[in-house]
Amino acid sequence: MYITRLTILRAKKGEKGYINKLLSENGFSFPTDEITFSDYIWDFCIDDDAKVSSSIYKQKFFIDQPLLSIDEEPISKGPAFEFLKKELNKEIQTSAKIIIAPGGTGKTTLCQYIASEYQNPDGAISVFIQSEELRESSQVNGHSSNQIDSVYDLYELYSQVTTSDGSSLTTYDKATFEVALITGRLVLVIDGMDEIISLFPETFNLDAFLNSVEELNRQLASCKIVITSRNDVFDFDLMDKYEHLDKFQLLGFDESACETYLKRRFRNLPQSESLKNKVLSNIKPLLESDEKQRILPFVVDLLSSLAEDSTDEEVNIELSFNGKKY
């Protein structure tokens, strides 16, 4: 047998030139190409029609906020967006990154920025499943009997609902979707898992869904999946069963993050300093009343909108949050 060129498939990238060196030492001399399974599948097994980027809306004035791992001993991971980008760019992946936080904490905004980060057909593209779109769609009731036992089941249902509403997003068949996910070249972002489950209470099997996540990631340990949830539907019994899930918590804004947000939001407005100070005067009592000195970004956004809508030359907003925690 005469070899003119050798293509070598590897699980991960190896030392450059190492294979050629081994071949040369054993008396072989022909050109070689080294390519990872992920790159080979993405480049040669998935049609270019499936590698289409999409436009994802992003909230303005995004401020990254701290992320905390939920373990026996919680550990701060630093700014959430930066940490998750770094994690998702690693060669070895856990089955999914699950982010728990109450409503108004900024989960959706964080998801928007993660999904937007991966819109390069030559590198990776994202699929962004939003519970809000399902909740607001008039088509959901027509799919209430759909059984959701896997990642693809959820994706297929979401695609059917959004396509019925006029969406022009690319729709993947099961084989293409799962292969792209296995290679890590499709980044799946699911925002609002708790709401999705509440929309399909009889047919959403969370246990089977998580099992499908684990099974897919077991192939190459390259799946990139981010899931957010308002309340803790991922109980510790499930976490123990699926040990390769990472679980995190968003903490909300501290005073420094509030000030940074307000400076960015008001920077091009008249009376920007007065607006910032007036909003801060309403925020500080809320921060002081919180054990962890945190506040929901939604509340900061609400106060900012009220300040912007003020028609008085003198900015004047006075709100009462007595007995409430935000």
Side-chain angles (χ1 to χ4, degrees):
M1 181 176 65
Y2 180 68
I3 299 175
T4 57
R5 191 176 197 93
L6 180 65
T7 298
I8 301 165
L9 296 181
R10 305 180 59 136
K12 305 296 177 187
K13 291 180 179 178
E15 180 184 342
K16 189 175 181 179
Y18 178 70
I19 297 295
N20 279 335
K21 180 183 175 184
L22 286 179
L23 290 171
S24 178
E25 289 175 351
N26 287 275
F28 296 102
S29 179
F30 44 77
T32 62
D33 299 302
E34 294 183 47
I35 186 169
T36 63
F37 294 133
S38 172
D39 288 344
Y40 183 85
I41 293 169
W42 183 254
D43 292 342
F44 301 108
C45 303
I46 296 178
D47 292 339
D48 288 341
D49 291 345
K51 306 169 190 174
V52 179
S53 60
S54 56
S55 177
I56 295 172
Y57 171 77
K58 294 190 294 185
Q59 293 281 351
K60 296 187 292 183
F61 317 120
F62 173 68
I63 300 294
D64 214 351
Q65 57 177 296
L67 194 70
L68 193 71
S69 67
I70 304 179
D71 298 305
E72 292 182 3
E73 294 184 12
I75 301 171
S76 174
K77 298 298 184 179
F81 181 50
E82 292 302 319
F83 171 78
L84 290 170
K85 277 198 302 182
K86 185 171 71 173
E87 289 297 299
L88 290 170
N89 288 333
K90 290 181 177 179
E91 286 192 345
I92 302 297
Q93 294 291 317
T94 53
S95 298
K97 285 80 176 158
I98 298 168
I99 301 167
I100 306 297
T105 313
K107 300 184 299 298
T108 297
T109 303
L110 177 61
C111 285
Q112 290 169 349
Y113 276 77
I114 293 170
S116 296
E117 182 73 13
Y118 298 95
Q119 290 298 319
N120 176 12
D122 292 329
I125 57 173
S126 65
V127 167
F128 187 17
I129 296 178
Q130 303 176 74
S131 63
E132 183 178 8
E133 284 198 33
L134 289 174
R135 188 181 69 243
E136 294 180 353
S137 173
S138 60
Q139 305 296 324
V140 166
N141 289 337
H143 298 274
S144 59
S145 62
N146 287 41
Q147 188 66 34
I148 306 172
D149 293 327
S150 69
V151 178
Y152 184 75
D153 287 343
L154 175 59
Y155 166 75
E156 184 179 38
L157 182 147
Y158 183 78
S159 296
Q160 290 171 353
V161 170
T162 53
T163 300
S164 298
D165 284 340
S167 171
S168 59
L169 295 178
T170 302
T171 300
Y172 303 97
D173 59 48
K174 189 173 191 285
T176 301
F177 177 83
E178 291 188 344
V179 167
L181 197 57
I182 286 169
T183 65
R185 306 297 284 274
L186 187 154
V187 180
L188 179 62
V189 182
I190 303 172
D191 181 40
M193 179 62 85
D194 57 301
E195 286 195 84
I196 295 172
I197 292 173
S198 71
L199 288 170
F200 305 96
E202 303 298 325
T203 59
F204 197 115
N205 186 331
L206 181 59
D207 193 8
F209 176 89
L210 293 177
N211 185 62
S212 77
V213 170
E214 290 255 300
E215 286 297 321
L216 287 171
N217 197 53
R218 193 169 287 124
Q219 307 301 313
L220 293 176
S222 296
C223 289
K224 297 177 179 180
I225 301 175
V226 176
I227 301 171
T228 70
S229 179
R230 179 177 295 179
N231 59 326
D232 201 345
V233 298
F234 300 95
D235 60 41
F236 286 100
D237 289 337
L238 273 179
M239 288 296 291
D240 289 341
K241 183 175 181 179
Y242 300 106
E243 58 182 335
H244 300 297
L245 301 175
D246 285 339
K247 194 174 181 185
F248 304 99
Q249 179 182 14
L250 278 178
L251 296 181
F253 283 176
D254 60 11
E255 185 172 351
S256 174
C258 290
E259 188 157 359
T260 301
Y261 172 84
L262 296 172
K263 283 181 179 178
R264 183 174 297 178
R265 178 157 179 165
F266 297 144
R267 62 188 169 191
N268 296 322
L269 297 179
Q271 304 185 70
S272 59
E273 191 67 18
S274 180
L275 285 164
K276 184 196 77 172
N277 290 335
K278 197 63 180 179
V279 174
L280 278 175
S281 70
N282 280 271
I283 286 173
K284 286 182 178 178
L286 298 174
L287 287 168
E288 291 167 0
S289 68
D290 183 72
E291 182 182 351
K292 297 179 180 178
Q293 303 284 288
R294 299 278 174 178
I295 188 172
L296 294 178
F298 168 76
V299 175
V300 182
D301 175 64
L302 173 63
L303 291 168
S304 300
S305 297
L306 290 171
E308 288 173 338
D309 292 342
S310 174
T311 57
D312 298 334
E313 289 187 11
E314 179 182 351
V315 177
N316 184 22
I317 55 171
E318 293 293 342
L319 300 179
S320 173
F321 293 98
N322 291 337
K324 305 292 183 182
K325 289 186 178 181
Y326 296 98

